[in-house]
């Protein structure tokens, strides 16, 4: 019999081959590969919020008396800490300041990043890749190095202890990463769409506003969420450039106003941290699908 007429041996299917992910059907494997990692992930993710919540409604006597009360549960919950935070401190004003600064800094950073990412990715000028790399490397510079020269500029412009000091300094660390993220998303959009628009007589401005930006909504949402989250949680610049209590943001106000010498208002501290995290959680919950799709589009080549 010739070699051409010989048939190749048939491979016996391995156990679980026919099911694709069939190896996960066995309970011991599911426990180790699915349920145990999922439980650990959820515990690490949710336990801090649980701890903040129970601390915020614990009476002061239960915060330190671990002999008579469990640290993981609440007996006779109270709203005194939340009432004190909202009505006897400047926390509502800090919350408003944080919203104004975060929204304004996010808007400025997005506008700047859109123009920068479009110029680097679509105009194809010499050295564009080097410029893009330099912008991303600028994001890696720690704020602890930048805040000293930025402080001199803030003083010289006369905007110390104002919201403008934060709105104009936050983009120094927001623009580099947002630009890098939008560069990746613009790269995933076919060049043919832009070339067709150029043939039809569209200008670069019209292409950006009517072609690229409508297709880049998920990327813009992702960059906006990222910028808003960083602005909301920023601490070093807000601590350095703001002095008066009425202009402070939530991260700085909670730490500096609710900690008096060696006295920690733990209930109010945890209530402030919990309430301060809610806007970011709500923002992510509304736009999580766009966020994931934009991150996927930003990394594919």
């Amino acid at each position: 019999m010739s070699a051409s007429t010989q048939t190749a041996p048939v491979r016996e299917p391995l156990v679980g081959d026919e099911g694709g992910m069939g190896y996960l059907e066995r309970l011991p494997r599911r426990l180790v590969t699915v349920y145990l990692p999922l439980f650990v992930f959820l515990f690490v993710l949710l336990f801090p919020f649980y701890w903040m919540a129970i601390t915020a409604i614990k009476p002061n006597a239960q915060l330190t008396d671990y002999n008579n009360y469990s640290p993981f549960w609440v007996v006779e919950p109270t709203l005194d800490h939340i009432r004190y935070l909202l009505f006897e401190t400047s926390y509502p004003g800090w919350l408003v300041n944080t919203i104004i600064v975060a929204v304004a800094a996010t808007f400025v950073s997005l506008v700047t990043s859109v123009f920068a990412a479009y110029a680097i990715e679509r105009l194809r000028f010499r050295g564009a890749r080097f410029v893009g790399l330099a912008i991303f490397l600028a994001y890696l510079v720690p704020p602890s190095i930048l805040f000293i020269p930025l402080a001199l500029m803030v003083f010289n412009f006369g905007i110390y202890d104002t919201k403008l000091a934060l709105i104009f300094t936050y983009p120094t660390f927001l623009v580099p990463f947002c630009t890098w993220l939008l560069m990746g998303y613009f790269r995933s959009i076919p060049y043919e769409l832009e070339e067709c628009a150029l043939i039809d007589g569209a200008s670069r401005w019209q292409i950006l506003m009517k072609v690229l930006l409508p297709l880049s909504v998920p990327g813009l949402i992702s960059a906006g969420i990222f910028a808003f989250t960083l602005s909301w949680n920023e601490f070093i610049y807000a601590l350095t450039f703001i002095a008066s209590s009425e202009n402070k943001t939530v991260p700085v106000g909670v730490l500096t106003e609710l900690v008096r010498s060696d006295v920690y208002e733990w209930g109010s501290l945890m209530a402030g941290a919990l309430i301060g995290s809610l806007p970011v959680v709500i923002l992510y919950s509304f736009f999580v699908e766009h966020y994931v799709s934009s991150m996927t589009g930003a990394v594919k080549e």
Side-chain angles (χ1 to χ4, degrees):
M1 182 179 298
S2 62
S4 60
T5 59
Q6 292 179 354
T7 58
V10 179
R11 183 180 69 88
E12 293 293 331
L14 298 175
V15 178
D17 271 6
E18 65 278 6
M21 300 291 288
Y23 69 95
L24 293 177
E25 296 300 326
R26 297 180 180 179
L27 183 58
R29 288 181 180 271
R30 289 206 306 271
L31 288 175
V32 176
T33 59
V34 179
Y35 296 130
L36 183 59
L38 183 61
F39 173 78
V40 173
F41 174 76
L42 290 177
F43 178 81
V44 173
L45 181 67
L46 299 178
F47 183 77
F49 292 95
Y50 172 76
W51 189 262
M52 288 189 293
I54 64 173
T55 305
I57 59 176
K58 272 186 179 181
N60 286 325
Q62 299 181 27
L63 292 175
T64 55
D65 188 2
Y66 293 155
N67 294 325
N68 299 317
Y69 300 99
S70 170
F72 302 104
W73 194 246
V74 185
V75 180
E76 299 179 355
T78 179
L79 297 178
D80 290 342
H81 302 305
I82 299 176
R83 188 180 302 110
Y84 170 79
L85 179 73
L86 296 179
F87 299 105
E88 298 184 31
T89 68
S90 301
Y91 187 84
W94 303 337
L95 201 59
V96 173
N97 294 338
T98 308
I99 294 174
I100 294 174
V101 170
V103 171
T106 299
F107 176 78
V108 172
S109 301
L110 278 182
V111 172
T112 306
S113 300
V114 165
F115 291 136
Y118 178 76
I120 294 172
E121 280 299 323
R122 314 301 280 200
L123 298 185
R124 306 175 183 176
F125 60 89
R126 179 176 297 179
R129 292 297 178 188
F130 175 77
V131 174
L133 179 61
I135 289 177
F136 179 69
L137 292 178
Y139 171 72
L140 303 179
V141 178
S144 57
I145 296 177
L146 291 177
F147 85 90
I148 297 177
L150 286 175
L152 297 177
M153 298 178 64
V154 167
F155 278 109
N156 290 335
F157 281 109
I159 56 176
Y160 176 74
D161 198 20
T162 65
K163 299 181 186 67
L164 290 177
L166 303 182
I167 294 173
F168 290 153
T169 55
Y170 282 4
T172 58
F173 60 86
L174 297 178
V175 170
F177 188 84
C178 291
T179 302
W180 176 80
L181 185 65
L182 291 175
M183 283 170 54
Y185 203 86
F186 286 169
R187 196 179 305 131
S188 66
I189 298 176
Y191 280 99
E192 289 77 7
L193 296 177
E194 187 172 348
E195 293 171 350
C196 291
L198 287 172
I199 293 174
D200 291 337
S203 64
R204 289 287 183 180
W205 175 258
Q206 291 174 325
I207 292 173
L208 176 62
M209 300 302 297
K210 297 182 179 181
V211 178
L212 283 185
L213 289 187
L215 295 175
S216 305
V217 170
L220 294 174
I221 291 176
S222 177
I225 291 176
F226 175 84
F228 183 86
T229 303
L230 281 186
S231 300
W232 188 273
N233 296 322
E234 204 283 326
F235 182 80
I236 294 180
Y237 292 170
L239 180 65
T240 306
F241 303 144
I242 301 296
S244 59
S245 177
E246 60 271 14
N247 288 328
K248 290 181 179 179
T249 57
V250 169
V252 175
V254 167
L255 185 62
T256 58
E257 302 289 335
L258 298 181
V259 178
R260 301 175 183 88
S261 184
D262 59 345
V263 178
Y264 291 78
E265 301 284 350
W266 285 116
S268 300
L269 278 170
M270 293 297 102
L274 184 63
I275 296 174
S277 64
L278 291 180
V280 178
V281 173
I282 295 173
L283 186 66
Y284 271 91
S285 65
F286 275 109
F287 298 107
V288 61
E289 294 182 359
H290 296 285
Y291 184 76
V292 173
S293 63
S294 64
M295 293 299 290
T296 305
V299 299
K300 69 181 181 180
E301 290 287 346

